[in-house]
Amino acid sequence: NAGVTQTPKFRVLKTGQSMTLLCAQDMNHEYMYWYRQDPGMGLRLIHYSVGEGTTAKGEVPDGYNVSRLKKQNFLLGLESAAPSQTSVYFCASVKGRDFPSMYGELFFGEGSRLTVL
Amino acid sequence: GESVGLHLPTLSVQEGDNSIINCAYSNSASDYFIWYKQESGKGPQFIIDIRSNMDKRQGQRVTVLLNKTVKHLSLQIAATQPGDSAVYFCAGTPNSGGGADGLTFGKGTHLIIQP
């Protein structure tokens, strides 16, 4: 079982470039999340999805877009990258039942390190 | 809103000693708390959780204590081992009404194990 897989693991962009981070899970989870992690700070929620075809904004959504066209995939897009978006991005998924104890089974990917020059 | 934070950014302990990592939260309506462990270069992993109707919960070598009066929780790791070196995050639900918008994470404490 692969769990949660993020691609790419590393990327360097120039200001203004666009890119997409892909998150794939093979656990048939309903809920998927994108977080960013910055030095000295905890994880902050960017966007999330509670099912195929649905997305919602989290705490820090500006500058990002997401799509959940397939249940197993959750894409995070940066249309015009800015240096402030330099961060480590984590995707997570969970089955989506039995709130809140479901968070005890929140699975994270290994992270995607993005640098914007 | 929910605010979850840790008291110390770094905690250094001797191998074999017990570690105590603290966390404070602001929302008294928070129902559920989790401790995650994040090793270098990896994503967070679940350690232990506790509901607000409990004061204490024990796992393997770990214990979480919840003090609702002062809105504080702690993670105790017994007989700390080199493999316990990591950043530890507490996280709490934003509200007691449920919701899919994830957890609020604290800033993390880096636990360093001295040989």
Side-chain angles (χ1 to χ4, degrees):
Chain A
N1 239 357
V4 178
T5 303
Q6 294 180 226
T7 53
K9 289 183 169 45
F10 301 93
R11 184 75 187 268
V12 178
L13 289 176
K14 293 181 180 178
T15 297
Q17 286 185 317
S18 63
M19 75 157 297
T20 300
L21 296 175
L22 170 63
C23 176
Q25 53 92 6
D26 59 2
M27 297 170 283
N28 201 34
H29 284 170
E30 290 293 334
Y31 291 7
M32 296 186 73
Y33 302 86
W34 275 108
Y35 291 92
R36 61 178 288 173
Q37 184 176 39
D38 300 297
M41 302 186 73
L43 284 81
R44 292 183 292 169
L45 183 63
I46 305 172
H47 286 280
Y48 65 100
S49 167
V50 299
E52 182 179 316
T54 70
T55 63
K57 294 180 180 180
E59 179 188 355
V60 288
D62 294 341
Y64 305 94
N65 57 75
V66 288
S67 63
R68 184 98 180 269
L69 299 180
K70 294 182 178 180
K71 185 177 182 179
Q72 63 267 35
N73 296 336
F74 194 28
L75 279 65
L76 178 70
L78 285 73
E79 289 188 348
S80 180
S84 61
Q85 294 177 304
T86 293
S87 188
V88 181
Y89 292 86
F90 286 97
C91 176
S93 73
V94 70
K95 61 183 178 181
R97 296 190 300 274
D98 306 323
F99 181 89
S101 58
M102 69 178 192
Y103 292 117
E105 296 181 3
L106 186 66
F107 287 91
F108 285 85
E110 300 221 320
S112 298
R113 183 176 295 275
L114 175 65
T115 301
V116 183
L117 303 175
Chain B
E2 178 68 53
S3 173
V4 182
L6 291 167
H7 290 305
L8 293 173
T10 302
L11 176 65
S12 183
V13 299
Q14 293 289 126
E15 183 178 348
D17 288 352
N18 296 335
S19 303
I20 300 176
I21 302 171
N22 296 305
C23 182
Y25 63 96
S26 61
N27 189 344
S28 58
S30 294
D31 281 329
Y32 181 73
F33 302 91
I34 298 179
W35 281 98
Y36 289 96
K37 174 185 180 182
Q38 185 178 23
E39 296 177 345
S40 180
K42 295 187 177 181
Q45 288 184 302
F46 170 86
I47 302 174
I48 192 168
D49 59 358
I50 189 167
R51 286 183 177 267
S52 59
N53 61 354
M54 303 170 68
D55 297 321
K56 179 180 179 180
R57 192 167 188 208
Q58 287 185 292
Q60 187 176 11
R61 281 201 309 118
V62 295
T63 300
V64 56
L65 299 178
L66 176 62
N67 185 330
K68 295 179 285 294
T69 302
V70 295
K71 289 185 272 187
H72 178 273
L73 67 159
S74 65
L75 177 71
Q76 300 178 3
I77 305 174
T80 312
Q81 302 170 356
D84 294 329
S85 289
V87 176
Y88 290 82
F89 293 95
C90 62
T93 55
N95 58 67
S96 61
D101 55 345
L103 303 174
T104 299
F105 287 84
K107 293 181 172 58
T109 290
H110 186 192
L111 180 63
I112 299 171
I113 311 303
Q114 302 285 359

